[in-house]
Amino acid sequence: MYRGREGQWAFFLHRLSGIAILLYLLIHVLNISAAMWGPEVSERLFAIEHTPIFRIGLVGVIAAVLYHALNGLRVILMDFTAWGVRLQRELWYGVWLLFALFFVPALIKIVPEILRTMGVI
Amino acid sequence: MQVTLKVMRYDPNKAAKPSWVSYQVEAEPMDRVLDLLHKVKYQQDGTLAFRRSCGHGICGSDAMVINGQNRLACKALVKDLTKKAGDTITVEPIRGLPVEKDLVVDMEPFFEAYRAVKPYLINDEPPPDRERLQSPEDRARFDASTKCILCAACTTSCPVFWVNGSYIGPAAIVQAHRFIFDSRDRGARERFQALAASTGVWRCRTAYNCTEACPREIPVTQAIEEVKRAILYDKF
């Protein structure tokens, strides 16, 4: 593994989260288009989305969308300002700060509900 | 003190794949990795192949992956790579270019990209009586990119270049930057042909490995972003 620094990991996670979002979007579109075969098929497919494993996956989708959006803003600043590249490392830490700010409340709201349906709490 | 020099060795005539070989070397803290490679080659195994010329960070021959990062062997000091005696320093060939033997890679794809950006002054206007004058401010505009020694440390640290060898690479873009932002040059649009192609600057995903790797401390990503903007704003 090449020992790159923050920029390499920012790029790597951006690519990974982008692929994850794309995959989710495909599943999502397929799921919705199942309505073509009537409400029974559609309902049965949507039931899968309420299984605990899928809901945990959706928490991952939230994380991917958040990171991709916030780091995307960082990329825009680097591409269109004279100072963005110079401050790329600080900007990346800013991305994580904002990420935590949005993601922690989402976790507090969602995770107990998932655990409740699983009967853990 | 003793250090272990672990080298990724490859001889296409003997083995299908590269493999690690370790050497015990006596080293001083202020020795350079190049000195350790010399000690191995002169005293332990004369078949070790690597490139070096000036040995002082100017010729750009001895870029290698040292402890997982691209550096010049002649500028990497033992004291910065080890904590105590007995520690291991790893040396691999730079990535993304075909390995010919041990640490020697085929640099031709790299120089092909270099030539593609036309790295020379282009100006068809009749020259003035004495010389094409330039103000100190105009000269300063591209000062950083004049420092490139074409060692390929930046290009071969780029994750995009590893997986897509047709990407023109940071070094060629820095060389283009040196002329595009030169007030005496008129060839920007000619260079944009190679730079705005699908294998050009837009492949850059700002991973910053190039900037971290540059032994001349050129702000490589900054230069690439400036070239991207020059191409973009040229369209309007």
Side-chain angles (χ1 to χ4, degrees):
Chain A
M1 178 60 83
Y2 189 87
R3 280 166 58 185
R5 297 187 55 182
E6 290 89 343
Q8 174 179 295
W9 298 110
F11 154 73
F12 183 69
L13 286 174
H14 199 76
R15 183 59 61 93
L16 205 70
S17 57
I19 293 169
I21 295 164
L22 181 70
L23 276 178
Y24 171 72
L25 202 69
L26 287 174
I27 295 171
H28 182 65
V29 170
L30 284 174
N31 202 338
I32 287 179
S33 60
M36 288 188 294
W37 289 282
E40 293 81 26
V41 179
S42 180
E43 291 290 331
R44 216 173 321 143
L45 276 173
F46 268 108
I48 299 170
E49 295 207 3
H50 293 286
T51 56
I53 186 87
F54 205 95
R55 293 184 71 179
I56 291 166
L58 285 177
V59 176
V61 171
I62 294 172
V65 170
L66 253 181
Y67 177 79
H68 204 82
L70 293 171
N71 193 55
L73 294 176
R74 169 178 167 268
V75 171
I76 290 171
L77 288 176
M78 295 185 315
D79 279 347
F80 288 100
T81 68
W83 49 268
V85 166
R86 211 169 54 245
L87 296 178
Q88 61 97 1
R89 204 164 286 146
E90 289 79 359
L91 283 169
W92 196 53
Y93 295 134
V95 164
W96 283 116
L97 197 75
L98 288 173
F99 180 89
L101 208 66
F102 288 108
F103 193 57
V104 171
L107 283 182
I108 293 170
K109 176 84 179 72
I110 298 166
V111 172
E113 280 177 32
I114 298 175
L115 294 178
R116 220 169 289 134
T117 48
M118 286 168 78
V120 179
I121 52 170
Chain B
M1 63 174 185
Q2 281 270 320
V3 295
T4 305
L5 191 68
K6 198 173 150 198
V7 185
M8 181 71 90
R9 297 209 54 183
Y10 173 60
D11 184 345
N13 293 323
K14 289 196 180 132
K17 274 197 276 184
S19 58
W20 290 104
V21 181
S22 291
Y23 302 92
Q24 298 302 317
V25 189
E26 189 59 36
E28 297 291 327
M30 291 302 282
D31 273 350
R32 306 157 302 167
V33 172
L34 181 64
D35 296 317
L36 306 189
L37 289 167
H38 278 150
K39 282 177 194 176
V40 171
K41 188 171 175 71
Y42 299 158
Q43 293 156 16
Q44 299 188 29
D45 188 346
T47 65
L48 179 66
F50 57 90
R51 279 199 187 100
R52 67 104 174 81
S53 184
C54 77
H56 292 83
I58 294 298
C59 73
S61 303
D62 62 352
M64 349 188 141
V65 187
I66 298 170
N67 279 6
Q69 283 175 329
N70 279 9
R71 306 170 212 250
L72 295 182
C74 58
K75 284 185 90 172
L77 299 181
V78 169
K79 72 176 175 71
D80 299 326
L81 299 165
T82 57
K83 288 196 181 76
K84 56 181 192 316
D87 276 357
T88 300
I89 297 171
T90 62
V91 183
E92 301 157 71
I94 43 177
R95 299 179 189 187
L97 293 168
V99 179
E100 292 185 330
K101 185 169 186 279
D102 299 336
L103 302 169
V104 176
V105 299
D106 178 8
M107 296 284 282
E108 193 40 41
F110 174 79
F111 287 119
E112 199 182 314
Y114 171 55
R115 288 190 293 268
V117 300
K118 308 193 177 184
Y120 39 82
L121 189 87
I122 298 174
N123 189 336
D124 291 336
E125 295 161 14
D129 285 345
R130 293 182 61 194
E131 60 189 294
R132 296 181 201 275
L133 288 174
Q134 184 169 52
S135 71
E137 294 74 33
D138 283 346
R139 172 61 181 74
R141 179 67 190 85
F142 59 92
D143 189 60
S145 41
T146 63
K147 296 190 165 77
C148 177
I149 54 173
L150 292 171
C151 68
C154 58
T155 295
T156 60
S157 75
C158 174
V160 177
F161 183 75
W162 296 334
V163 292
N164 181 356
S166 61
Y167 170 41
I168 198 163
I173 300 169
V174 165
Q175 290 293 333
H177 180 278
R178 185 250 168 272
F179 291 99
I180 291 168
F181 291 96
D182 187 330
S183 60
R184 299 163 296 184
D185 188 86
R186 300 287 176 270
R189 289 211 169 129
E190 268 183 62
R191 296 191 178 89
F192 287 171
Q193 285 173 8
L195 293 162
S198 66
T199 53
V201 288
W202 309 116
R203 292 282 125 201
C204 168
R205 294 293 189 277
T206 57
Y208 291 93
N209 280 3
C210 52
T211 307
E212 311 277 2
C214 180
R216 306 284 293 168
E217 286 164 9
I218 301 169
V220 183
T221 312
Q222 181 80 43
I224 298 174
E225 291 291 295
E226 285 175 9
V227 172
K228 281 180 185 174
R229 285 197 288 270
I231 292 172
L232 185 66
Y233 298 150
D234 185 56
K235 303 252 184 228
F236 299 103

